[in-house]
Amino acid sequence: MDWSTFLTPVFWTQLLASAVSLATPLILAALGEVFAERSGIINLGIEGMMLFSGFMAFTVAYQSGNIWTGVLLAVLTGALMSLLFAFMTITLRSNQTVTGLSLNFLGQGLAMYLYRTIFKITTETPRISPFQNIAIPVLSDIPILGDVLFNHSIFTYLMFILVPVGLIIIYRTRFGLRLNAVGESPQTADTLGVSVARIRYGCMIIGGALAGLAGAFFSLVELGAYSDSMVNGRGFIASALVIFGRWDPLWTLGGGLLFGGIDALQNRLQVLGSPIPSNFLQMTPYVVTILALLIGRRRKAPAAMGIPYVRK
Amino acid sequence: MSHEKKPILRAPRASSAMLPLAILLALVCGALLLALSGYSPIEAYAALLRGSFGNLNAIAEVLVKTTPLLLAALGLTISNRAQVISIGAEGQIYLGAMGAAAVALFMGALSAYIAIPLCMVAGILIGALWGGIAGWLKVRMNANEVIVTLMMNYIAIELVRYLVNGPWRDPNSVEPYSALITDGAYLPTLIPRTRLHVGILIALAMVAVFWWVLRRTTLGYQLTVCGANPDAAEANGINSRRMIVISMLISGGMAGLAGAVELMGVHHRLIEEVSPEYGFTAIIIAVLGRGKPVRVLFAALFFAVLTTGADGMRLTMGIPASIGSILQALVLLFALGSEIFEQRLLTKEQIRLSAAQQR
Amino acid sequence: MASLRGVQVQGDYGKPAVSGFDLDIHAGEIVGIAGVDGNGQSELVEAIVGLRKIGSGTLTIGGQDLTSSPAWKRIDAGLRYVPADRKRRGVVPDLSIADNSAIKNYRMAPYSKRGVLQPEAIRQFAARLVEEYDIRCESINTQVGTLSGGNMQKLLLAREASENSALLVVEHPTQGLDIGAIEFVRKALLDKRDEGTAILLVSADLDEVLELSDRVVVMYEGAAVQERRHDEIDREEIGLAMAGLS
């Protein structure tokens, strides 16, 4: 392997830019899940939701010729799936983990089934022209930083906007106050007149919409097509990112960029022919996630997370 | 009063009507989906039945698929009772196959009486180790076992992929699989000209073993109490941390055994896709089985029927096989959703009986 | 039989619920805790039985220091517990009377031999409990969740008081019971005391505490503020102490 490549600025610029790009779906999905978990609901179905939303995004974009309708449908799909999840876990009080996992299977199964049913697969994979990177004028001319931060798809820019928006909502609005209260002590919140169910439903919808957006990233930005394995476990990494990010949007951003960086590095090492077998490199995000979990455990989870709320 | 801090993954005493109802609802939804996709639901379900019961080969296939599902799900039943939510079965299956392969590929020619038990033990041990790590991390470091077991899956799968693409690859081939395992490690076929092997008998034996352990041993008693009322278990001195580690060892071991059995009975070599997501399906089966080994058996059979039948649908009607997992997910969702109604029925029942007691 | 010295226990919201608590409970006596709900009684009980960590101080039972021991070690040392929340912490409602009766002694002979349960011995034990405590049920295979409150409590008490109960901790023992059951339970506690069991009684029913206890300790804001023997009890004085005025 040519170690000198590590010394070139081009390598690092490309690496960091790639990191930001790869981090985008993780951070979007994780941000949505931060809302959900802060209100007390843990959703493990993000993976399936992302795949199905990504599928819907692609299909609608392909059929309609308009990529933006794809984005819209992805957000709607994610929100609807979350609504189903919310209904089952909040109103029907089913176990959140198991429900989330079955939603996974459902999302994956539906995506795989509908793709094959709608697109009779021939030798040619149906494709659309994906979102192109938009270089922000002036800012993208800054050496290194310009390419790393200001030459990305609209999804990434959206992510950069949504993170501070999320921060403001969670820490500075009445809604945020309520949502934190509901996640820590739903009984107290209820006594104070906050509708636990409404807050939780609201947070789930936010989470679902963002997960849907993240799913759309894979098909509309990364691939310009649909593939059964396009999410490839990243929905679950997003779940881990929420914990690593201590349920805080800013930490989530940081953690997501870290994960993205590792993914990007691992990709490049494979291409450069690193001495480490590619399979072990593939393992790194998962190992890092576990390590991150062990380190990140110091911040306590929202006290009521995972427990269905029953009004006495 | 301190908070109820635990999410309770427990099975309410089964009210038998709900599960068949859930299945029915799932089939109805499936029929709708099929109809909307342009297939006749009646024909499709007929193809499903033919695909799973139509001939001896079909039934053999169902049993072949039941074996690993049943083994892994039995193990998960134990960890569920200990209030641990492990989704690591898939990776443990892979590693179990790997462990058995280590014996069956590199220990030379062995007689079946040695090879088979040895491979099984290797699979169990390595699976148990993998599960035990997650259990230990949960107990010692309060690590969320859901994420840990999930991540460990991918690590395990990559490890196996590395081996079959690299050091363990069949020297006579460029395909990513190992050489054939030694003859002695082949599980004997039960029905000639089918894939049905002795593994199903091992799985059935384990059903009996688990039934006995749960009913008749102190460990089983502790697990039963933990599963039925974790707060009472804690208040009465049952060491929940010990339960967690032991149950993770058992569930890991069983999944490892499933992998070993798949290697010895079906693949006969270590391959890249050791398991078509059996580990994840086993989680659903364990939940539906509600902690009772016999129910787990029937749930595993049912899911194997769905998977085999879905294959049949694909072959005869061109319906994508993923309809099988859609149906499985729907059954679970309906079953989960109906729990609240079961609880209400149960409470009413308890109140009624309680009133009758007040003579 | 049991002593607490300088016990401090954290409450749920960061503040200590119990501080500097000293208490001795001797064999053959009932010590009652009088106090308004929310002054640390439930946290104290939880700390004694092992459901809550003891922040500082010591807990000794039968001479053994069990301050940081897990619940099962305390049970082996003779600790028994009748909790306030019967259905959540006391019994397993989905299981039968027989299964429930074994929850404290299943590890010991003759109820199990080398890890294998002996169902006959357990059944006999359960039947004995049912008879001795007059528990109204169809059979020992009846699901405990279907028992009436009174019968459930009798089962709990029977089970906890029966074997190897050196220190018996009872919380709100007659809450929600009918008159007949209340009488039964109170008498049973007195009988156990006479047999030599050390009993710690926590109850919201002040009359009950004053009537049954050999010694009454008033708890206010997590500390023991007053102690009176049965013959020294002045209801008004106790009431004032409970309100923090003494």
Side-chain angles (χ1 to χ4, degrees), chain B residues 43-288:
Chain B
E43 272 183 48
Y45 284 140
L48 188 149
L49 287 173
R50 254 180 290 123
S52 30
F53 297 115
N55 54 47
L56 197 59
N57 210 4
I59 298 179
E61 269 308 301
V62 169
L63 292 176
V64 166
K65 290 194 171 56
T66 304
T67 306
L69 289 174
L70 181 54
L71 286 169
L74 281 173
L76 287 169
T77 294
I78 301 291
S79 53
N80 283 352
R81 280 177 182 242
Q83 308 294 308
V84 184
I85 303 162
S86 164
I87 43 182
E90 185 77 354
Q92 290 151 5
I93 292 176
Y94 273 73
L95 287 189
M98 180 190 85
V103 170
L105 289 172
F106 303 116
M107 289 187 69
L110 297 164
S111 97
Y113 291 109
I114 300 180
I116 293 178
L118 202 57
C119 287
M120 279 171 57
V121 167
I124 293 175
L125 285 179
I126 208 169
L129 179 70
W130 209 234
I133 292 175
W136 186 83
L137 285 175
K138 176 176 172 74
V139 164
R140 270 307 150 117
M141 308 193 75
N142 204 25
N144 184 319
E145 73 272 21
V146 172
I147 307 280
V148 171
T149 51
L150 187 56
M151 295 293 119
M152 287 177 81
N153 280 336
Y154 295 110
I155 297 175
I157 294 174
E158 287 299 328
L159 183 59
V160 170
R161 284 208 189 128
Y162 162 70
L163 289 172
V164 299
N165 275 289
W168 289 15
R169 187 160 64 178
D170 188 338
N172 305 324
S173 164
V174 292
E175 298 291 317
Y177 50 62
S178 75
L180 285 171
I181 57 178
T182 177
D183 286 341
Y186 276 63
L187 283 176
T189 316
L190 276 179
I191 301 179
R193 288 192 305 266
T194 67
R195 294 204 305 169
L196 184 60
H197 57 87
V198 169
I200 185 68
L201 297 178
I202 299 176
L204 289 173
M206 291 314 265
V207 173
V209 167
F210 273 69
W211 183 91
W212 184 83
V213 167
L214 283 172
R215 280 304 212 89
R216 290 269 183 272
T217 64
T218 53
L219 174 65
Y221 180 77
Q222 291 173 325
L223 287 166
T224 304
V225 172
C226 264
N229 187 347
D231 288 311
E234 208 191 333
N236 282 291
I238 290 178
N239 191 341
S240 62
R241 304 172 91 196
R242 193 166 155 262
M243 286 296 106
I244 290 172
V245 175
I246 291 182
S247 67
M248 286 303 289
L249 288 169
I250 294 176
S251 65
M254 287 304 284
L257 179 59
V261 165
E262 280 298 280
L263 174 84
M264 297 190 286
V266 176
H267 309 306
H268 304 129
R269 50 168 105 238
L270 192 60
I271 61 177
E272 270 204 325
E273 200 194 68
V274 168
S275 151
E277 309 226 311
Y278 282 143
F280 293 109
T281 314
I283 299 170
I284 301 185
I285 294 173
V287 172
L288 288 173

Side-chain angles (χ1 to χ4, degrees), chain C residues 3-167:
Chain C
S3 349
L4 288 88
R5 288 280 174 276
V7 166
Q8 195 242 42
V9 180
Q10 278 295 96
D12 284 334
Y13 297 104
K15 285 172 36 192
V18 178
S19 26
F21 205 87
D22 289 340
L23 185 64
D24 282 317
I25 312 168
H26 305 109
E29 84 168 332
I30 297 182
V31 175
I33 307 272
V36 175
D37 237 355
N39 277 286
Q41 298 95 312
S42 33
E43 288 87 348
L44 177 68
V45 167
E46 283 175 358
I48 295 175
V49 301
L51 286 170
R52 199 179 273 264
K53 264 191 78 172
I54 294 177
S56 59
T58 54
L59 165 71
T60 336
I61 300 179
Q64 275 182 60
D65 184 342
L66 295 166
T67 315
S68 27
S69 299
W72 62 267
K73 274 216 183 115
R74 305 181 193 200
I75 291 169
D76 279 350
L79 175 67
R80 291 292 184 272
Y81 175 38
V82 178
D85 193 345
R86 292 161 211 145
K87 280 194 173 170
R88 188 158 75 89
R89 286 194 175 152
V91 297
V92 185
D94 291 340
L95 296 181
S96 68
I97 292 179
D99 286 332
N100 268 280
S101 67
I103 218 173
K104 285 296 204 300
N105 53 19
Y106 67 93
R107 277 181 298 130
M108 301 182 254
Y111 306 108
S112 70
K113 245 190 295 196
R114 277 189 259 153
V116 179
L117 297 173
Q118 306 298 310
E120 192 48 45
I122 295 176
R123 276 195 283 266
Q124 281 177 8
F125 179 63
R128 208 184 78 206
L129 293 182
V130 166
E131 204 197 297
E132 273 180 22
Y133 280 72
D134 189 29
I135 300 171
R136 302 281 168 80
C137 60
E138 276 164 25
S139 78
I140 56 170
N141 295 319
T142 312
Q143 222 187 0
V144 165
T146 62
L147 292 178
S148 72
N151 283 309
M152 204 186 285
Q153 188 68 328
K154 282 198 253 180
L155 174 63
L156 265 175
L157 192 56
R159 177 185 83 197
E160 298 299 310
S162 59
E163 289 185 349
N164 193 20
S165 55
L167 171 65

Side-chain angles (χ1 to χ4, degrees), chain A residues 88 105 113 236 279 297 307, chain B residues 37 141 150 158 280 322 333:
Chain A
M88 290 200 65
F105 283 112
Y113 176 84
F236 289 118
N279 295 103
R297 70 188 163 88
I307 306 169
Chain B
S37 322
M141 308 193 75
L150 187 56
E158 287 299 328
F280 293 109
S322 32
L333 283 170

Side-chain angles (χ1 to χ4, degrees), chain A residues 254-276:
Chain A
L257 290 173
L258 177 67
F259 284 18
I262 294 175
D263 211 1
L265 182 65
Q266 175 248 107
N267 280 337
R268 268 159 189 69
L269 283 178
Q270 274 190 48
V271 167
L272 291 174
S274 88
I276 310 172

